[in-house]
Amino acid sequence: MVDRFGVAGELLIFLWERKLWWMIPMVLVLLGFGLLLVLAQSSAIAPFIYTLF
């Protein structure tokens, strides 16, 4: 898992080992928003996504 997801995988493993399960959904939502912004940056829907924030 760490090889495929890099830093995100290491972060999730760290949270799992330290028994910080309640933080995993928050981290996944933040990673999802970051991924959405990166992918939408060069598309035609970028102005609509930026208005959400």
Side-chain angles (χ1 to χ4, degrees), residues 11-26:
L11 179 64
L12 290 174
I13 288 174
F14 172 77
L15 292 174
W16 189 262
E17 288 176 352
R18 302 279 181 181
K19 298 189 184 339
L20 297 174
W21 301 305
W22 56 274
M23 286 188 73
I24 291 175
M26 289 189 286

Side-chain angles (χ1 to χ4, degrees), residues 22-42:
W22 56 274
M23 286 188 73
I24 291 175
M26 289 189 286
V27 171
L28 290 177
V29 167
L30 288 174
L31 288 174
F33 277 134
L35 184 64
L36 177 69
L37 288 176
V38 168
L39 292 177
Q41 203 169 26
S42 62

Side-chain angles (χ1 to χ4, degrees), residues 1-6 9:
M1 181 173 152
V2 176
D3 293 335
R4 287 186 67 191
F5 295 111

